[in-house]
Amino acid sequence: MSPVHGDSHSGPTRRALLTAGAGAALLAGCARGGAPGAPAAATSSSAAAAGGGGLTPGAMTLFKDPAYNFNGLLALGGSGAGAAEVGEVLTAVNAINAAGLTAQSYVRTFRSLADRLVAAPPGAPADGQTKRFRALRAAQYYGQALFFVLGSDDPGSEEQLYKAGRAAWDAFCDLCEPAPVKANVPYGTTPLPVWFFRPDTSGAPRPTVILTNGSDGQNVDMWTYGVPAALERGWNALVYDGPGQGQLLFVDRVVFTPTWERVVTPLVDWLTARSDVDARKIALTGLSMAGDLAPRAAAFETRIAALVAMPGCVEPWLGFPPEIRKILTPDKQRTNDIWNKEVVPELPPEAADVMKKRFEPFSVPAMLQARQGKLFTDFYTPATRIKALTITDVVPRIKAPTLVLDYEGEQFYPGQPRRMYEALTSPKDYLKLTAAQGAQLHCSPMAPQLHCEVVFDWLGKTLGT
């Protein structure tokens, strides 16, 4: 695939494309932890499969809408790591479907479930383990609600909802044994919150993995996609919020940066100063859009000993449908005139909600407008920031051994993992997870345990652990 630049289509043609093409593609492609946009129109078969047929048959179809279905599958998949309970998720799914699937019913149901879990459980007083895993599941369910809150009737509660999920996550961490080390690592004027998990407090130097989240995942996703797998193998694991993520986005209002090495280097500095970290064996993983961020960092931070891109991504901007990409021209005023005068009036409400969610990590004004129930007016600035994440020129600079994952039915970055693999000049491996394994779709939402097995087996072999 190649970038699509601004075009000279007339207004009516563009509007027709948007209402018939991009609107549908955006609605099909909204998924937590996914790309900063929707799948390209050319991948409509994959998007349709995510909704109920093809790659998600039978019991894999929780919701007919592919966006909600993907999120529901992510929640269900977290159960293997204690980050969800099958019965809780399926009960919530039934309640949402019975009420009629909307952003409002989804947010209300999962938020209520999380609220119940942070309250006292029925029966005898809860012990530490009960409180711990109820808090972890609450973090998951608050995250589920958070993803769709901008499309609900209370978009202004976004920051409050994030803070509820963060409080649940911190409560879980405080009850871990041993509890992770919490710290703030210097980064510009806004420090990065980190959680450093260790198998024990012996102080023995251990291999360490830095777990990097995607464009809209939460800390609980890094638990599901790496922390227990690391601890069980005698590794340390570092979870963090970077620009455009978690606390830095929702509270500190810091958006994504294309120079992710400036994020990872302070983390490596912090780790190498610790006696319980083997500085020769620091690995870096990137989930979802971080399959672009982590490789960018590894191209410049030479202390990374091994890299995993999950999936490999070289141009996040291609995660948007071509009809959306065509809006962006070299001229800011012309671009925003097209957006505000030709596109916004024709954009279906549901697609508008998707655009609010997809653009907020790249624009504080867009986020604040979305919290007021409004669609952003400056398309040019965040779109330009997303385009700046392209790493095609820097992938050949990566020296660390690299595993590039791909997924059957990849909705967001089809073809990009193979592009990354072919551009790499370092020792490299490519692996596609499949429907036959139950590991299809972006980030294998139904098979995070298998996902972790693949990743940590490769890391162990590569680093000799």
Side-chain angles (χ1 to χ4, degrees):
M1 300 177 71
S2 58
V4 178
H5 303 288
D7 69 350
S8 59
H9 288 171
S10 65
T13 300
R14 185 179 288 109
R15 287 197 294 269
L17 284 169
L18 281 163
T19 54
L26 282 166
L27 292 174
C30 180
R32 186 162 67 113
T43 65
S44 58
S45 60
S46 295
L55 291 172
T56 56
M60 297 177 185
T61 301
L62 306 178
F63 302 106
K64 292 182 179 179
D65 182 287
Y68 292 94
N69 195 62
F70 187 86
N71 265 45
L73 292 176
L74 278 168
L76 205 57
S79 60
E85 179 80 293
V86 172
E88 290 171 347
V89 174
L90 294 182
T91 299
V93 168
N94 287 342
I96 293 165
N97 283 326
L101 176 61
T102 63
Q104 183 61 23
S105 64
Y106 198 97
V107 171
R108 182 180 62 247
T109 301
F110 274 106
R111 183 170 192 167
S112 295
L113 175 54
D115 287 343
R116 289 199 301 273
L117 286 171
V118 297
D127 63 17
Q129 281 293 87
T130 296
K131 291 178 180 178
R132 177 188 176 206
F133 280 101
R134 283 173 70 91
L136 181 63
R137 302 200 308 275
Q140 170 75 258
Y141 304 143
Y142 281 128
Q144 288 287 324
L146 178 65
F147 187 83
F148 291 105
V149 71
L150 293 181
S152 74
D153 63 2
D154 189 16
S157 66
E158 182 183 50
E159 183 176 341
Q160 178 188 33
L161 191 51
Y162 162 73
K163 288 180 176 178
R166 168 64 181 274
W169 166 254
D170 281 332
F172 163 74
C173 290
D174 290 343
L175 291 166
C176 287
E177 183 57 46
V181 175
K182 296 181 183 179
N184 289 307
V185 173
Y187 172 76
T189 59
T190 308
L192 308 174
V194 303
W195 296 263
F196 179 67
F197 291 86
R198 306 151 293 165
D200 55 46
T201 57
S202 66
R206 298 179 181 276
T208 301
V209 60
I210 303 172
L211 301 168
T212 306
N213 221 330
S215 69
D216 44 37
Q218 301 304 317
N219 301 130
V220 64
D221 299 313
M222 295 298 90
W223 175 267
T224 299
Y225 281 89
V227 177
L231 299 179
E232 289 162 3
R233 290 164 174 81
W235 284 57
N236 302 316
L238 186 75
V239 175
Y240 68 101
D241 286 341
Q245 301 171 328
Q247 177 181 308
L248 268 74
L249 174 64
F250 295 115
V251 180
D252 299 328
R253 301 180 183 180
V254 179
V255 300
F256 273 109
T257 175
T259 53
W260 206 257
E261 67 276 12
R262 297 181 183 176
V263 180
V264 169
T265 289
L267 300 177
V268 177
D269 290 342
W270 187 84
L271 287 171
T272 56
R274 296 186 61 90
S275 60
D276 53 1
V277 171
D278 185 341
R280 301 165 303 167
K281 296 182 178 181
I282 297 177
L284 177 66
T285 69
L287 184 70
S288 190
M289 197 189 79
D292 170 277
L293 304 175
R296 163 74 197 205
F300 296 94
E301 176 46 75
T302 59
R303 292 173 293 178
I304 297 300
L307 169 70
V308 186
M310 315 180 305
C313 171
V314 293
E315 293 186 76
W317 183 229
L318 294 183
F320 286 86
E323 297 83 4
I324 291 295
R325 300 199 305 270
K326 288 177 182 178
I327 299 169
L328 182 62
T329 76
D331 182 80
K332 181 176 182 179
Q333 186 61 53
R334 178 169 180 260
T335 296
N336 287 339
D337 282 346
I338 293 170
W339 171 249
N340 291 299
K341 297 176 181 179
E342 300 181 28
V343 177
V344 172
E346 303 292 338
L347 201 62
E350 295 86 355
D353 290 339
V354 174
M355 291 296 285
K356 294 173 189 175
K357 179 62 179 176
R358 298 271 54 92
F359 270 61
E360 72 168 350
F362 302 92
S363 168
V364 171
M367 179 176 70
L368 298 180
Q369 287 173 303
R371 290 177 178 180
Q372 298 172 2
K374 301 174 183 177
L375 190 58
F376 54 89
T377 55
D378 179 7
F379 179 95
Y380 178 88
T381 300
T384 301
R385 287 173 177 159
I386 299 167
K387 282 200 70 175
L389 294 172
T390 298
I391 59 170
T392 49
D393 292 341
V394 303
V395 168
R397 294 183 53 140
I398 297 171
K399 302 302 181 186
T402 301
L403 171 63
V404 178
L405 289 188
D406 200 352
Y407 309 97
E408 185 175 353
E410 167 64 41
Q411 312 100 290
F412 301 102
Y413 307 127
Q416 293 204 43
R418 177 58 70 174
R419 286 180 60 193
M420 176 177 286
Y421 176 76
E422 291 174 350
L424 285 164
T425 59
S426 62
K428 59 186 180 180
D429 289 289
Y430 169 93
L431 180 65
K432 176 177 280 191
L433 299 178
T434 68
Q437 300 166 303
Q440 66 270 41
L441 302 178
H442 183 69
C443 298
S444 300
M446 295 176 284
Q449 292 182 85
L450 172 62
H451 196 279
C452 287
E453 290 166 2
V454 167
V455 168
F456 281 91
D457 284 349
W458 183 87
L459 287 174
K461 176 183 177 181
T462 301
L463 297 184
T465 61

